[in-house]
PDB file of all heavy atoms in Angstrom:
ATOM      1  N   PHE A   1       3.087  -9.904  -2.556  1.00  0.00           N
ATOM      2  CA  PHE A   1       3.712 -11.102  -3.155  1.00  0.00           C
ATOM      3  C   PHE A   1       4.276 -10.689  -4.431  1.00  0.00           C
ATOM      4  O   PHE A   1       3.780  -9.874  -5.166  1.00  0.00           O
ATOM      5  CB  PHE A   1       2.656 -12.141  -3.278  1.00  0.00           C
ATOM      6  CG  PHE A   1       3.209 -13.491  -3.814  1.00  0.00           C
ATOM      7  CD1 PHE A   1       4.282 -14.059  -3.144  1.00  0.00           C
ATOM      8  CD2 PHE A   1       2.602 -14.222  -4.936  1.00  0.00           C
ATOM      9  CE1 PHE A   1       4.737 -15.251  -3.687  1.00  0.00           C
ATOM     10  CE2 PHE A   1       3.043 -15.238  -5.378  1.00  0.00           C
ATOM     11  CZ  PHE A   1       4.242 -15.891  -4.753  1.00  0.00           C
ATOM     12  N   SER A   2       5.344 -11.412  -4.840  1.00  0.00           N
ATOM     13  CA  SER A   2       6.140 -11.026  -6.051  1.00  0.00           C
ATOM     14  C   SER A   2       5.496 -11.363  -7.352  1.00  0.00           C
ATOM     15  O   SER A   2       5.847 -10.924  -8.363  1.00  0.00           O
ATOM     16  CB  SER A   2       7.573 -11.745  -5.922  1.00  0.00           C
ATOM     17  OG  SER A   2       7.333 -13.150  -5.724  1.00  0.00           O
ATOM     18  N   ASP A   3       4.522 -12.314  -7.303  1.00  0.00           N
ATOM     19  CA  ASP A   3       3.834 -12.612  -8.509  1.00  0.00           C
ATOM     20  C   ASP A   3       2.292 -12.616  -8.333  1.00  0.00           C
ATOM     21  O   ASP A   3       1.627 -13.689  -8.376  1.00  0.00           O
ATOM     22  CB  ASP A   3       4.276 -14.109  -8.894  1.00  0.00           C
ATOM     23  CG  ASP A   3       3.806 -14.497 -10.209  1.00  0.00           C
ATOM     24  OD1 ASP A   3       3.482 -13.593 -11.021  1.00  0.00           O
ATOM     25  OD2 ASP A   3       3.816 -15.715 -10.502  1.00  0.00           O
ATOM     26  N   PRO A   4       1.639 -11.350  -8.213  1.00  0.00           N
ATOM     27  CA  PRO A   4       0.164 -11.327  -7.692  1.00  0.00           C
ATOM     28  C   PRO A   4      -0.564 -11.418  -9.036  1.00  0.00           C
ATOM     29  O   PRO A   4      -1.022 -10.505  -9.773  1.00  0.00           O
ATOM     30  CB  PRO A   4       0.225  -9.979  -7.246  1.00  0.00           C
ATOM     31  CG  PRO A   4       1.269  -9.130  -7.962  1.00  0.00           C
ATOM     32  CD  PRO A   4       2.440 -10.155  -8.394  1.00  0.00           C
ATOM     33  N   LEU A   5      -1.140 -12.702  -9.319  1.00  0.00           N
ATOM     34  CA  LEU A   5      -1.837 -13.077 -10.494  1.00  0.00           C
ATOM     35  C   LEU A   5      -3.163 -12.276 -10.747  1.00  0.00           C
ATOM     36  O   LEU A   5      -3.451 -11.980 -11.854  1.00  0.00           O
ATOM     37  CB  LEU A   5      -2.177 -14.572 -10.492  1.00  0.00           C
ATOM     38  CG  LEU A   5      -0.963 -15.423 -10.449  1.00  0.00           C
ATOM     39  CD1 LEU A   5      -1.564 -16.908 -10.208  1.00  0.00           C
ATOM     40  CD2 LEU A   5      -0.064 -15.362 -11.614  1.00  0.00           C
ATOM     41  N   ALA A   6      -3.885 -11.929  -9.717  1.00  0.00           N
ATOM     42  CA  ALA A   6      -5.226 -11.286  -9.871  1.00  0.00           C
ATOM     43  C   ALA A   6      -5.092  -9.876  -9.854  1.00  0.00           C
ATOM     44  O   ALA A   6      -6.202  -9.219  -9.982  1.00  0.00           O
ATOM     45  CB  ALA A   6      -6.113 -11.857  -8.827  1.00  0.00           C
ATOM     46  N   ASP A   7      -3.979  -9.276  -9.621  1.00  0.00           N
ATOM     47  CA  ASP A   7      -3.852  -7.814  -9.472  1.00  0.00           C
ATOM     48  C   ASP A   7      -3.576  -7.030 -10.706  1.00  0.00           C
ATOM     49  O   ASP A   7      -2.679  -7.504 -11.476  1.00  0.00           O
ATOM     50  CB  ASP A   7      -2.881  -7.524  -8.291  1.00  0.00           C
ATOM     51  CG  ASP A   7      -3.285  -8.061  -7.019  1.00  0.00           C
ATOM     52  OD1 ASP A   7      -4.450  -7.926  -6.578  1.00  0.00           O
ATOM     53  OD2 ASP A   7      -2.426  -8.641  -6.284  1.00  0.00           O
ATOM     54  N   GLY A   8      -4.182  -5.878 -10.817  1.00  0.00           N
ATOM     55  CA  GLY A   8      -3.792  -4.964 -11.874  1.00  0.00           C
ATOM     56  C   GLY A   8      -2.569  -4.219 -11.558  1.00  0.00           C
ATOM     57  O   GLY A   8      -1.949  -4.353 -10.511  1.00  0.00           O
ATOM     58  N   PRO A   9      -2.180  -3.324 -12.436  1.00  0.00           N
ATOM     59  CA  PRO A   9      -0.897  -2.603 -12.328  1.00  0.00           C
ATOM     60  C   PRO A   9      -0.769  -1.760 -10.978  1.00  0.00           C
ATOM     61  O   PRO A   9       0.213  -1.772 -10.399  1.00  0.00           O
ATOM     62  CB  PRO A   9      -0.787  -1.702 -13.560  1.00  0.00           C
ATOM     63  CG  PRO A   9      -2.149  -1.750 -14.254  1.00  0.00           C
ATOM     64  CD  PRO A   9      -2.808  -3.045 -13.811  1.00  0.00           C
ATOM     65  N   THR A  10      -1.857  -1.162 -10.711  1.00  0.00           N
ATOM     66  CA  THR A  10      -1.791  -0.289  -9.460  1.00  0.00           C
ATOM     67  C   THR A  10      -1.473  -1.085  -8.200  1.00  0.00           C
ATOM     68  O   THR A  10      -0.548  -0.674  -7.471  1.00  0.00           O
ATOM     69  CB  THR A  10      -3.110   0.392  -9.236  1.00  0.00           C
ATOM     70  OG1 THR A  10      -3.491   1.237 -10.381  1.00  0.00           O
ATOM     71  CG2 THR A  10      -3.141   1.328  -8.008  1.00  0.00           C
ATOM     72  N   ILE A  11      -2.086  -2.225  -8.074  1.00  0.00           N
ATOM     73  CA  ILE A  11      -1.767  -2.990  -6.827  1.00  0.00           C
ATOM     74  C   ILE A  11      -0.517  -3.721  -6.916  1.00  0.00           C
ATOM     75  O   ILE A  11       0.318  -3.848  -6.071  1.00  0.00           O
ATOM     76  CB  ILE A  11      -3.046  -3.916  -6.484  1.00  0.00           C
ATOM     77  CG1 ILE A  11      -4.261  -3.078  -6.009  1.00  0.00           C
ATOM     78  CG2 ILE A  11      -2.630  -4.923  -5.410  1.00  0.00           C
ATOM     79  CD1 ILE A  11      -5.519  -3.790  -5.716  1.00  0.00           C
ATOM     80  N   GLN A  12      -0.174  -4.179  -8.193  1.00  0.00           N
ATOM     81  CA  GLN A  12       1.215  -4.810  -8.479  1.00  0.00           C
ATOM     82  C   GLN A  12       2.193  -3.898  -8.109  1.00  0.00           C
ATOM     83  O   GLN A  12       3.131  -4.230  -7.382  1.00  0.00           O
ATOM     84  CB  GLN A  12       1.281  -5.264  -9.964  1.00  0.00           C
ATOM     85  CG  GLN A  12       0.582  -6.540 -10.189  1.00  0.00           C
ATOM     86  CD  GLN A  12       0.882  -7.050 -11.709  1.00  0.00           C
ATOM     87  OE1 GLN A  12       1.982  -6.545 -12.213  1.00  0.00           O
ATOM     88  NE2 GLN A  12       0.216  -7.841 -12.224  1.00  0.00           N
ATOM     89  N   ASP A  13       2.143  -2.634  -8.527  1.00  0.00           N
ATOM     90  CA  ASP A  13       3.225  -1.599  -8.268  1.00  0.00           C
ATOM     91  C   ASP A  13       3.320  -1.287  -6.653  1.00  0.00           C
ATOM     92  O   ASP A  13       4.387  -1.214  -6.219  1.00  0.00           O
ATOM     93  CB  ASP A  13       2.912  -0.318  -8.983  1.00  0.00           C
ATOM     94  CG  ASP A  13       3.103  -0.387 -10.428  1.00  0.00           C
ATOM     95  OD1 ASP A  13       3.615  -1.355 -10.922  1.00  0.00           O
ATOM     96  OD2 ASP A  13       2.659   0.499 -11.198  1.00  0.00           O
ATOM     97  N   SER A  14       2.201  -1.313  -6.026  1.00  0.00           N
ATOM     98  CA  SER A  14       2.289  -1.073  -4.614  1.00  0.00           C
ATOM     99  C   SER A  14       2.856  -2.313  -3.868  1.00  0.00           C
ATOM    100  O   SER A  14       3.566  -2.149  -2.839  1.00  0.00           O
ATOM    101  CB  SER A  14       0.861  -0.687  -4.007  1.00  0.00           C
ATOM    102  OG  SER A  14       0.010  -1.970  -4.186  1.00  0.00           O
ATOM    103  N   SER A  15       2.575  -3.451  -4.389  1.00  0.00           N
ATOM    104  CA  SER A  15       3.131  -4.714  -3.767  1.00  0.00           C
ATOM    105  C   SER A  15       4.681  -4.693  -3.971  1.00  0.00           C
ATOM    106  O   SER A  15       5.533  -5.050  -3.009  1.00  0.00           O
ATOM    107  CB  SER A  15       2.639  -5.933  -4.427  1.00  0.00           C
ATOM    108  OG  SER A  15       1.199  -6.176  -4.079  1.00  0.00           O
ATOM    109  N   THR A  16       5.164  -4.329  -5.188  1.00  0.00           N
ATOM    110  CA  THR A  16       6.608  -4.253  -5.448  1.00  0.00           C
ATOM    111  C   THR A  16       7.173  -3.286  -4.548  1.00  0.00           C
ATOM    112  O   THR A  16       8.321  -3.539  -3.898  1.00  0.00           O
ATOM    113  CB  THR A  16       6.837  -3.886  -6.926  1.00  0.00           C
ATOM    114  OG1 THR A  16       6.222  -4.855  -7.759  1.00  0.00           O
ATOM    115  CG2 THR A  16       8.302  -3.724  -7.291  1.00  0.00           C
ATOM    116  N   ALA A  17       6.594  -2.084  -4.425  1.00  0.00           N
ATOM    117  CA  ALA A  17       7.101  -1.114  -3.524  1.00  0.00           C
ATOM    118  C   ALA A  17       7.269  -1.498  -1.986  1.00  0.00           C
ATOM    119  O   ALA A  17       8.169  -1.253  -1.342  1.00  0.00           O
ATOM    120  CB  ALA A  17       6.356   0.233  -3.621  1.00  0.00           C
ATOM    121  N   ALA A  18       5.986  -2.217  -1.578  1.00  0.00           N
ATOM    122  CA  ALA A  18       5.959  -2.584  -0.166  1.00  0.00           C
ATOM    123  C   ALA A  18       7.160  -3.673   0.060  1.00  0.00           C
ATOM    124  O   ALA A  18       7.684  -3.700   1.097  1.00  0.00           O
ATOM    125  CB  ALA A  18       4.663  -3.249   0.049  1.00  0.00           C
ATOM    126  N   LEU A  19       7.338  -4.592  -0.915  1.00  0.00           N
ATOM    127  CA  LEU A  19       8.404  -5.618  -0.779  1.00  0.00           C
ATOM    128  C   LEU A  19       9.795  -4.874  -0.643  1.00  0.00           C
ATOM    129  O   LEU A  19      10.617  -5.332   0.202  1.00  0.00           O
ATOM    130  CB  LEU A  19       8.388  -6.673  -1.825  1.00  0.00           C
ATOM    131  CG  LEU A  19       7.175  -7.634  -1.903  1.00  0.00           C
ATOM    132  CD1 LEU A  19       7.122  -8.275  -3.289  1.00  0.00           C
ATOM    133  CD2 LEU A  19       7.153  -8.447  -0.727  1.00  0.00           C
ATOM    134  N   LYS A  20       9.930  -3.880  -1.402  1.00  0.00           N
ATOM    135  CA  LYS A  20      11.214  -3.161  -1.336  1.00  0.00           C
ATOM    136  C   LYS A  20      11.388  -2.473  -0.146  1.00  0.00           C
ATOM    137  O   LYS A  20      12.425  -2.272   0.517  1.00  0.00           O
ATOM    138  CB  LYS A  20      11.253  -2.088  -2.604  1.00  0.00           C
ATOM    139  CG  LYS A  20      11.700  -2.781  -3.815  1.00  0.00           C
ATOM    140  CD  LYS A  20      11.761  -1.657  -4.939  1.00  0.00           C
ATOM    141  CE  LYS A  20      12.039  -2.350  -6.365  1.00  0.00           C
ATOM    142  NZ  LYS A  20      11.794  -1.438  -7.408  1.00  0.00           N
ATOM    143  N   ASN A  21      10.247  -1.995   0.431  1.00  0.00           N
ATOM    144  CA  ASN A  21      10.298  -1.378   1.784  1.00  0.00           C
ATOM    145  C   ASN A  21      10.597  -2.245   2.919  1.00  0.00           C
ATOM    146  O   ASN A  21      10.891  -1.828   4.042  1.00  0.00           O
ATOM    147  CB  ASN A  21       8.856  -0.778   2.169  1.00  0.00           C
ATOM    148  CG  ASN A  21       8.520   0.333   1.239  1.00  0.00           C
ATOM    149  OD1 ASN A  21       9.482   1.116   0.612  1.00  0.00           O
ATOM    150  ND2 ASN A  21       7.239   0.834   1.213  1.00  0.00           N
ATOM    151  N   GLY A  22      10.558  -3.657   2.687  1.00  0.00           N
ATOM    152  CA  GLY A  22      10.908  -4.540   3.614  1.00  0.00           C
ATOM    153  C   GLY A  22       9.709  -5.357   4.236  1.00  0.00           C
ATOM    154  O   GLY A  22       9.780  -6.000   5.235  1.00  0.00           O
ATOM    155  N   MET A  23       8.528  -5.287   3.479  1.00  0.00           N
ATOM    156  CA  MET A  23       7.344  -5.961   4.129  1.00  0.00           C
ATOM    157  C   MET A  23       7.461  -7.487   3.837  1.00  0.00           C
ATOM    158  O   MET A  23       7.864  -7.919   2.828  1.00  0.00           O
ATOM    159  CB  MET A  23       6.116  -5.403   3.448  1.00  0.00           C
ATOM    160  CG  MET A  23       4.756  -6.147   3.855  1.00  0.00           C
ATOM    161  SD  MET A  23       4.565  -6.231   5.729  1.00  0.00           S
ATOM    162  CE  MET A  23       4.272  -4.536   6.137  1.00  0.00           C
ATOM    163  N   THR A  24       7.152  -8.238   4.928  1.00  0.00           N
ATOM    164  CA  THR A  24       7.157  -9.632   4.809  1.00  0.00           C
ATOM    165  C   THR A  24       6.128 -10.184   5.740  1.00  0.00           C
ATOM    166  O   THR A  24       5.454  -9.399   6.481  1.00  0.00           O
ATOM    167  CB  THR A  24       8.576 -10.264   5.391  1.00  0.00           C
ATOM    168  OG1 THR A  24       8.558 -10.002   6.883  1.00  0.00           O
ATOM    169  CG2 THR A  24       9.752  -9.784   4.728  1.00  0.00           C
ATOM    170  N   THR A  25       5.748 -11.433   5.716  1.00  0.00           N
ATOM    171  CA  THR A  25       4.760 -11.880   6.565  1.00  0.00           C
ATOM    172  C   THR A  25       5.092 -11.660   8.012  1.00  0.00           C
ATOM    173  O   THR A  25       4.280 -11.240   8.858  1.00  0.00           O
ATOM    174  CB  THR A  25       4.605 -13.513   6.380  1.00  0.00           C
ATOM    175  OG1 THR A  25       4.329 -13.752   4.914  1.00  0.00           O
ATOM    176  CG2 THR A  25       3.539 -14.197   7.261  1.00  0.00           C
ATOM    177  N   GLU A  26       6.389 -11.965   8.407  1.00  0.00           N
ATOM    178  CA  GLU A  26       6.724 -11.704   9.809  1.00  0.00           C
ATOM    179  C   GLU A  26       6.545 -10.332  10.281  1.00  0.00           C
ATOM    180  O   GLU A  26       6.210  -9.889  11.326  1.00  0.00           O
ATOM    181  CB  GLU A  26       8.260 -12.082   9.990  1.00  0.00           C
ATOM    182  CG  GLU A  26       8.447 -13.688  10.019  1.00  0.00           C
ATOM    183  CD  GLU A  26       8.081 -14.413  11.254  1.00  0.00           C
ATOM    184  OE1 GLU A  26       7.387 -13.753  12.164  1.00  0.00           O
ATOM    185  OE2 GLU A  26       8.375 -15.592  11.355  1.00  0.00           O
ATOM    186  N   VAL A  27       7.015  -9.377   9.351  1.00  0.00           N
ATOM    187  CA  VAL A  27       6.836  -7.923   9.686  1.00  0.00           C
ATOM    188  C   VAL A  27       5.430  -7.505   9.799  1.00  0.00           C
ATOM    189  O   VAL A  27       5.051  -6.785  10.647  1.00  0.00           O
ATOM    190  CB  VAL A  27       7.585  -7.103   8.561  1.00  0.00           C
ATOM    191  CG1 VAL A  27       7.211  -5.534   8.707  1.00  0.00           C
ATOM    192  CG2 VAL A  27       9.010  -7.269   8.612  1.00  0.00           C
ATOM    193  N   LEU A  28       4.552  -8.075   8.970  1.00  0.00           N
ATOM    194  CA  LEU A  28       3.052  -7.715   9.081  1.00  0.00           C
ATOM    195  C   LEU A  28       2.561  -8.127  10.348  1.00  0.00           C
ATOM    196  O   LEU A  28       1.854  -7.492  11.056  1.00  0.00           O
ATOM    197  CB  LEU A  28       2.401  -8.355   7.836  1.00  0.00           C
ATOM    198  CG  LEU A  28       0.820  -8.116   8.013  1.00  0.00           C
ATOM    199  CD1 LEU A  28       0.464  -6.587   8.035  1.00  0.00           C
ATOM    200  CD2 LEU A  28      -0.001  -8.808   6.839  1.00  0.00           C
ATOM    201  N   PHE A  29       2.855  -9.479  10.763  1.00  0.00           N
ATOM    202  CA  PHE A  29       2.424  -9.972  12.010  1.00  0.00           C
ATOM    203  C   PHE A  29       2.866  -9.148  13.159  1.00  0.00           C
ATOM    204  O   PHE A  29       2.133  -8.878  14.110  1.00  0.00           O
ATOM    205  CB  PHE A  29       2.781 -11.407  12.181  1.00  0.00           C
ATOM    206  CG  PHE A  29       2.032 -12.378  11.427  1.00  0.00           C
ATOM    207  CD1 PHE A  29       2.355 -13.647  10.985  1.00  0.00           C
ATOM    208  CD2 PHE A  29       0.824 -12.098  10.882  1.00  0.00           C
ATOM    209  CE1 PHE A  29       1.656 -14.532  10.223  1.00  0.00           C
ATOM    210  CE2 PHE A  29      -0.055 -12.937  10.114  1.00  0.00           C
ATOM    211  CZ  PHE A  29       0.463 -14.262   9.837  1.00  0.00           C
ATOM    212  N   LYS A  30       4.129  -8.711  12.997  1.00  0.00           N
ATOM    213  CA  LYS A  30       4.727  -7.818  14.208  1.00  0.00           C
ATOM    214  C   LYS A  30       3.886  -6.489  14.196  1.00  0.00           C
ATOM    215  O   LYS A  30       3.586  -6.034  15.306  1.00  0.00           O
ATOM    216  CB  LYS A  30       6.158  -7.536  13.890  1.00  0.00           C
ATOM    217  CG  LYS A  30       6.948  -6.960  15.002  1.00  0.00           C
ATOM    218  CD  LYS A  30       7.376  -8.141  15.954  1.00  0.00           C
ATOM    219  CE  LYS A  30       8.068  -7.600  17.214  1.00  0.00           C
ATOM    220  NZ  LYS A  30       7.920  -8.358  18.379  1.00  0.00           N
ATOM    221  N   GLN A  31       3.672  -5.872  13.086  1.00  0.00           N
ATOM    222  CA  GLN A  31       2.837  -4.708  13.007  1.00  0.00           C
ATOM    223  C   GLN A  31       1.471  -4.798  13.661  1.00  0.00           C
ATOM    224  O   GLN A  31       1.044  -3.864  14.212  1.00  0.00           O
ATOM    225  CB  GLN A  31       2.783  -4.133  11.553  1.00  0.00           C
ATOM    226  CG  GLN A  31       4.058  -3.590  11.014  1.00  0.00           C
ATOM    227  CD  GLN A  31       3.951  -3.154   9.588  1.00  0.00           C
ATOM    228  OE1 GLN A  31       2.871  -3.404   9.011  1.00  0.00           O
ATOM    229  NE2 GLN A  31       4.987  -2.495   9.162  1.00  0.00           N
ATOM    230  N   LEU A  32       0.875  -5.943  13.395  1.00  0.00           N
ATOM    231  CA  LEU A  32      -0.616  -6.108  13.846  1.00  0.00           C
ATOM    232  C   LEU A  32      -0.765  -6.555  15.209  1.00  0.00           C
ATOM    233  O   LEU A  32      -1.822  -6.637  15.826  1.00  0.00           O
ATOM    234  CB  LEU A  32      -1.231  -7.103  12.873  1.00  0.00           C
ATOM    235  CG  LEU A  32      -1.401  -6.839  11.443  1.00  0.00           C
ATOM    236  CD1 LEU A  32      -1.994  -7.892  10.660  1.00  0.00           C
ATOM    237  CD2 LEU A  32      -2.185  -5.518  11.324  1.00  0.00           C
ATOM    238  N   GLU A  33       0.385  -6.774  16.063  1.00  0.00           N
ATOM    239  CA  GLU A  33       0.333  -7.032  17.432  1.00  0.00           C
ATOM    240  C   GLU A  33      -0.404  -5.864  18.183  1.00  0.00           C
ATOM    241  O   GLU A  33      -0.005  -4.807  18.033  1.00  0.00           O
ATOM    242  CB  GLU A  33       1.667  -7.343  18.035  1.00  0.00           C
ATOM    243  CG  GLU A  33       2.193  -8.747  17.615  1.00  0.00           C
ATOM    244  CD  GLU A  33       3.703  -8.967  18.169  1.00  0.00           C
ATOM    245  OE1 GLU A  33       4.159  -8.130  18.993  1.00  0.00           O
ATOM    246  OE2 GLU A  33       4.277  -9.862  17.742  1.00  0.00           O
ATOM    247  N   GLY A  34      -1.449  -6.298  18.865  1.00  0.00           N
ATOM    248  CA  GLY A  34      -2.157  -5.241  19.619  1.00  0.00           C
ATOM    249  C   GLY A  34      -3.148  -4.373  18.852  1.00  0.00           C
ATOM    250  O   GLY A  34      -3.892  -3.521  19.333  1.00  0.00           O
ATOM    251  N   ILE A  35      -3.445  -4.819  17.646  1.00  0.00           N
ATOM    252  CA  ILE A  35      -4.315  -4.089  16.663  1.00  0.00           C
ATOM    253  C   ILE A  35      -5.705  -4.046  17.376  1.00  0.00           C
ATOM    254  O   ILE A  35      -6.526  -3.119  17.193  1.00  0.00           O
ATOM    255  CB  ILE A  35      -4.236  -4.600  15.256  1.00  0.00           C
ATOM    256  CG1 ILE A  35      -5.024  -3.622  14.318  1.00  0.00           C
ATOM    257  CG2 ILE A  35      -4.944  -5.982  15.224  1.00  0.00           C
ATOM    258  CD1 ILE A  35      -4.225  -2.346  13.933  1.00  0.00           C
ATOM    259  N   ARG A  36      -6.126  -5.207  18.033  1.00  0.00           N
ATOM    260  CA  ARG A  36      -7.529  -5.231  18.529  1.00  0.00           C
ATOM    261  C   ARG A  36      -7.665  -4.351  19.771  1.00  0.00           C
ATOM    262  O   ARG A  36      -8.722  -4.149  20.330  1.00  0.00           O
ATOM    263  CB  ARG A  36      -7.791  -6.561  18.848  1.00  0.00           C
ATOM    264  CG  ARG A  36      -8.031  -7.434  17.624  1.00  0.00           C
ATOM    265  CD  ARG A  36      -9.245  -6.809  16.955  1.00  0.00           C
ATOM    266  NE  ARG A  36      -9.535  -7.483  15.560  1.00  0.00           N
ATOM    267  CZ  ARG A  36     -10.300  -6.942  14.656  1.00  0.00           C
ATOM    268  NH1 ARG A  36     -10.806  -5.749  14.864  1.00  0.00           N
ATOM    269  NH2 ARG A  36     -10.473  -7.542  13.489  1.00  0.00           N
ATOM    270  N   GLU A  37      -6.577  -3.573  20.302  1.00  0.00           N
ATOM    271  CA  GLU A  37      -6.779  -2.662  21.444  1.00  0.00           C
ATOM    272  C   GLU A  37      -7.377  -1.454  20.766  1.00  0.00           C
ATOM    273  O   GLU A  37      -7.991  -0.527  21.606  1.00  0.00           O
ATOM    274  CB  GLU A  37      -5.462  -2.405  21.979  1.00  0.00           C
ATOM    275  CG  GLU A  37      -4.833  -3.452  22.758  1.00  0.00           C
ATOM    276  CD  GLU A  37      -3.398  -3.418  23.070  1.00  0.00           C
ATOM    277  OE1 GLU A  37      -2.796  -2.310  23.122  1.00  0.00           O
ATOM    278  OE2 GLU A  37      -2.698  -4.389  23.343  1.00  0.00           O
ATOM    279  N   THR A  38      -7.168  -1.115  19.531  1.00  0.00           N
ATOM    280  CA  THR A  38      -7.771   0.129  18.920  1.00  0.00           C
ATOM    281  C   THR A  38      -8.689  -0.071  17.704  1.00  0.00           C
ATOM    282  O   THR A  38      -9.417   0.971  17.450  1.00  0.00           O
ATOM    283  CB  THR A  38      -6.583   1.016  18.275  1.00  0.00           C
ATOM    284  OG1 THR A  38      -5.782   0.196  17.435  1.00  0.00           O
ATOM    285  CG2 THR A  38      -5.575   1.409  19.588  1.00  0.00           C
ATOM    286  N   VAL A  39      -8.898  -1.188  17.212  1.00  0.00           N
ATOM    287  CA  VAL A  39      -9.700  -1.486  16.073  1.00  0.00           C
ATOM    288  C   VAL A  39     -10.748  -2.563  16.280  1.00  0.00           C
ATOM    289  O   VAL A  39     -10.259  -3.655  16.799  1.00  0.00           O
ATOM    290  CB  VAL A  39      -8.777  -1.831  14.817  1.00  0.00           C
ATOM    291  CG1 VAL A  39      -9.664  -2.122  13.618  1.00  0.00           C
ATOM    292  CG2 VAL A  39      -7.987  -0.668  14.426  1.00  0.00           C
ATOM    293  N   SER A  40     -11.961  -2.283  16.035  1.00  0.00           N
ATOM    294  CA  SER A  40     -12.973  -3.358  16.302  1.00  0.00           C
ATOM    295  C   SER A  40     -13.637  -3.862  14.984  1.00  0.00           C
ATOM    296  O   SER A  40     -14.399  -4.974  15.094  1.00  0.00           O
ATOM    297  CB  SER A  40     -14.011  -2.782  17.125  1.00  0.00           C
ATOM    298  OG  SER A  40     -14.768  -1.691  16.465  1.00  0.00           O
ATOM    299  N   ILE A  41     -13.471  -3.335  13.722  1.00  0.00           N
ATOM    300  CA  ILE A  41     -14.130  -3.829  12.636  1.00  0.00           C
ATOM    301  C   ILE A  41     -13.533  -5.088  12.103  1.00  0.00           C
ATOM    302  O   ILE A  41     -12.236  -5.405  12.462  1.00  0.00           O
ATOM    303  CB  ILE A  41     -14.233  -2.769  11.564  1.00  0.00           C
ATOM    304  CG1 ILE A  41     -13.013  -2.244  11.083  1.00  0.00           C
ATOM    305  CG2 ILE A  41     -15.139  -1.605  11.925  1.00  0.00           C
ATOM    306  CD1 ILE A  41     -12.842  -1.347   9.922  1.00  0.00           C
TER     307      ILE A  41
END
């Protein structure tokens, strides 16, 4: 998220980079489709 109040600089920087990479809610949901076929935790 563009304004991460609880995050320190490391996670803020990673969030900024991820947003620049094109990460959105829709993209994340698309990536997670089928995740339960391989991950159980």
Side-chain angles (χ1 to χ4, degrees):
F1 180 53
S2 54
D3 190 20
L5 303 173
D7 296 319
T10 299
I11 291 175
Q12 280 191 19
D13 290 348
S14 70
S15 289
T16 302
L19 291 169
K20 282 183 184 165
N21 289 343
M23 180 50 69
T24 64
T25 304
E26 291 281 9
V27 170
L28 177 59
F29 284 160
K30 194 82 185 150
Q31 289 179 348
L32 294 176
E33 281 175 12
I35 192 72
R36 285 301 174 196
E37 291 163 23
T38 56
V39 173
S40 61
I41 61 173

